[in-house]
Amino acid sequence: MLELRHRGGGPGGAGAPPPREGEAAGGDHETESTSDKETDIDDRYGDLDSRTDSDIPEIPPSSDRTPEILKKALSGLSSRWKNWWIRGILTLTMISLFFLIIYMGSFMLMLLVLSIQVKCFHEIITIGYRVYRSYDLPWFRTLSWYFLLCVNYFFYGETVADYFATFVQREEQLQFLIRYHRFISFALYLAGFCMFVLSLVKKHYRLQFYMFAWTHVTLLITVTQSHLVIQNLFEGMIWFLVPISSVICNDITAYLFGFFFGRTPLIKLSPKKTWEGFIGGFFSTVVFGFTAAYVLSKYQYFVCPVEYRSDVNSFVTECEPSELFRLQSYSLPPFLKAVLRWETVSLYPFQIHSIALSTFASLIGPFGGFFASGFKRAFKIKDFANTIPGHGGIMDRFDCQYLMATFVHVYITSFIRGPNPSKVLQQLLVLQPEQQLNIYKTLKTHLIEKGILQPTLKV
């Protein structure tokens, strides 16, 4: 019954008017021709969605950049011990350079973070370019670097507006840039977006959008996180050093425990990781973070917020340390009193916070490394690059740091940060004189009402 109804009333059935002569043939031919053309394009260039991991082209392995002097010195060792010594020597070298940069001050640390960000972005973008090297994508690399410039302009412009207000106030050109900073940032990004749309080529639509997304995810991973690292640095160098050094400590100790005692595989994504290394790294990192927090909390250089002083035209770290960095007495639990025979113990409150930071660095931080391992396996590469002999690329060393940066920023804003008098003062100095006078009168009235100031007597 349904079949008869369909035939009688549907288009082209018994109840439909007969087509004109030549219309059916011509119309069907045109439709078939268009359909065949679209099918041909999909067959030739639209197979990316159906690719499996085995279809991804292999990237040639990077060349060995180990210095010749090290190769000769370690030539008699097995590959396992040779790699151990290379990693150890390069690790000590990098740690020494890191100490030197810390000594040189906050500004050099910011430049270090920016340099690492750019290098990590370069490594990830290069992987995308090499994986799809058989496709001639117009403007892909140029637009990727342009978007990196735009996003850095936005984030670092926000930092300048927040922490360099007094310096900006003296420079008329900078005042214009800061006042319209967000509009300029949006206009720059919009220009890149339009350039991308104009660069679209019919046979590469899908691939171009894949790489557009690739670029933006890379920006999210690198630029956003490096911006948070610098924000943490402005809260005090200790909020920069303890988290970063905890991740470094966890990397080193987990490697050592795994190298000497590892027997039980931890995760398939990273076959060399072991439970022994994971557990040993955890306890070592907590002890290290607790000790480092105690040592650093003694010095203003590390605990004071980083501020820009326009009178000396430099960054300064001078302040009266907050309660977080003053020794406090804590009563011990009964079972510890019986063991240690102490009633109380003196600690810096920051040491307690360091336990949370170290725990995250050793338990959750490694998942950034596992994520990176899965990424590398998906594209059949061993390392992101060969920048550091025995270690791989810069991204291979900092894959865990990005998760840590976000956690520290969220931790500070949730549990630590209160109103920042210095930041409020910098914002007040940018206001017009009439606005500043109104705020002064309001504040004075408020302090008189609270009994902090005595009311002035009218003569």
Side-chain angles (χ1 to χ4, degrees):
M1 189 69 179
L2 291 172
E3 185 179 357
L4 290 172
R5 189 177 300 167
H6 172 72
R7 287 179 178 176
R20 297 176 183 174
E21 185 178 356
E23 180 179 329
D28 290 346
H29 177 72
E30 183 179 351
T31 304
E32 290 175 4
S33 175
T34 304
S35 178
D36 290 344
K37 187 180 296 184
E38 292 177 352
T39 302
D40 181 57
I41 291 174
D42 284 342
D43 288 342
R44 292 172 60 196
Y45 303 107
D47 61 342
L48 291 172
D49 287 335
S50 60
R51 275 186 168 185
T52 63
D53 287 347
S54 59
D55 296 324
I56 300 296
E58 291 191 11
I59 298 177
S62 302
S63 58
D64 185 9
R65 299 182 63 179
T66 305
E68 289 298 327
I69 187 172
L70 276 180
K71 288 183 180 179
K72 292 179 180 178
L74 305 174
S75 58
L77 299 176
S78 64
S79 59
R80 183 170 183 261
W81 281 99
K82 185 184 298 184
N83 185 62
W84 191 88
W85 277 104
I86 291 173
R87 286 176 68 99
I89 293 171
L90 269 295
T91 297
L92 292 176
T93 303
M94 289 187 290
I95 291 175
S96 302
L97 290 174
F98 186 52
F99 282 148
L100 177 62
I101 293 174
I102 292 170
Y103 174 77
M104 295 173 70
S106 306
F107 183 71
M108 294 305 297
L109 284 172
M110 294 178 200
L111 290 182
L112 174 65
V113 172
L114 178 60
S115 302
I116 291 172
Q117 173 225 115
V118 172
K119 182 57 180 172
C120 289
F121 180 85
H122 171 257
E123 290 178 358
I124 299 175
I125 287 296
T126 300
I127 291 172
Y129 183 76
R130 293 170 68 185
V131 165
Y132 298 106
R133 62 189 182 278
S134 58
Y135 295 87
D136 183 19
L137 293 184
W139 297 100
F140 165 59
R141 300 189 81 170
T142 302
L143 284 174
S144 296
W145 286 101
Y146 177 81
F147 282 125
L148 176 68
L149 180 65
C150 292
V151 176
N152 270 306
Y153 176 81
F154 170 74
F155 279 119
Y156 284 93
E158 294 287 306
T159 301
V160 170
D162 284 343
Y163 296 99
F164 299 84
T166 53
F167 175 74
V168 170
Q169 192 178 17
R170 297 183 308 183
E171 303 291 335
E172 293 185 6
Q173 297 86 350
L174 290 179
Q175 286 182 29
F176 173 83
L177 292 176
I178 293 301
R179 182 181 297 274
Y180 301 104
H181 170 67
R182 295 192 176 184
F183 180 81
I184 295 172
S185 301
F186 178 71
L188 290 172
Y189 179 84
L190 202 60
F193 179 82
C194 293
M195 289 166 61
F196 167 75
V197 173
L198 294 174
S199 71
L200 290 173
V201 179
K202 189 171 185 179
K203 65 179 181 179
H204 293 323
Y205 282 162
R206 289 184 184 177
L207 184 55
Q208 285 182 282
F209 277 102
Y210 288 157
M211 301 315 295
F212 183 78
W214 182 297
T215 299
H216 281 68
V217 171
T218 305
L219 291 172
L220 177 66
I221 293 173
T222 57
V223 182
T224 307
Q225 305 305 312
S226 65
H227 173 70
L228 295 181
V229 171
I230 291 178
Q231 292 291 307
N232 299 339
L233 177 59
F234 275 107
E235 295 296 326
M237 202 178 293
I238 197 168
W239 290 104
F240 173 86
L241 293 177
V242 170
I244 284 181
S245 58
S246 294
V247 173
I248 295 172
C249 173
N250 185 68
D251 279 346
I252 295 172
T253 55
Y255 174 77
L256 291 176
F257 275 95
F259 185 87
F260 290 106
F261 309 109
R263 296 292 183 273
T264 313
L266 175 64
I267 187 171
K268 290 182 179 180
L269 279 174
S270 192
K272 293 184 179 180
K273 299 291 192 299
T274 63
W275 275 105
E276 291 81 3
F278 187 75
I279 296 171
F282 165 70
F283 286 106
S284 302
T285 303
V286 172
V287 172
F288 169 83
F290 193 79
T291 306
Y294 177 80
V295 174
L296 297 180
S297 295
K298 297 180 178 181
Y299 303 98
Q300 284 190 11
Y301 182 73
F302 297 113
V303 303
C304 290
V306 177
E307 298 178 359
Y308 177 79
R309 288 267 300 274
S310 56
D311 54 339
V312 295
N313 196 30
S314 66
F315 291 99
V316 296
T317 50
E318 298 174 359
C319 69
E320 184 67 27
S322 66
E323 294 292 328
L324 203 60
F325 305 106
R326 297 179 186 175
L327 281 173
Q328 308 285 343
S329 294
Y330 295 92
S331 297
L332 291 174
F335 72 93
L336 284 180
K337 288 181 182 179
V339 175
L340 300 176
R341 297 182 180 180
W342 295 345
E343 293 293 327
T344 61
V345 63
S346 295
L347 297 173
Y348 292 100
F350 180 77
Q351 287 181 270
I352 300 173
H353 294 291
S354 74
I355 297 175
L357 300 178
S358 301
T359 300
F360 185 91
S362 53
L363 296 184
I364 308 299
F367 280 84
F370 301 153
F371 177 86
S373 296
F375 179 87
K376 289 183 284 188
R377 282 179 169 271
F379 295 99
K380 300 180 180 180
I381 55 177
K382 183 178 182 292
D383 297 310
F384 282 93
N386 63 342
T387 309
I388 311 171
H391 292 268
I394 298 295
M395 190 66 196
D396 291 287
R397 292 299 89 215
F398 289 89
D399 46 13
C400 300
Q401 296 286 4
Y402 288 114
L403 278 179
M404 193 70 200
T406 305
F407 173 74
V408 174
H409 184 75
V410 171
Y411 190 89
I412 291 173
T413 54
S414 300
F415 304 110
I416 304 298
R417 180 188 293 163
N420 188 337
S422 175
K423 194 171 180 179
V424 172
L425 180 61
Q426 297 233 9
Q427 292 173 339
L428 287 175
L429 294 175
V430 181
L431 298 177
Q432 297 296 323
E434 297 80 7
Q435 296 172 315
Q436 293 174 341
L437 189 59
N438 287 334
I439 292 175
Y440 166 75
K441 292 177 180 178
T442 303
L443 182 60
K444 182 179 179 181
T445 303
H446 174 72
L447 294 176
I448 291 174
E449 290 175 353
K450 295 192 71 173
I452 299 175
L453 289 181
Q454 297 297 325
T456 55
L457 299 177
K458 296 183 179 179
V459 181

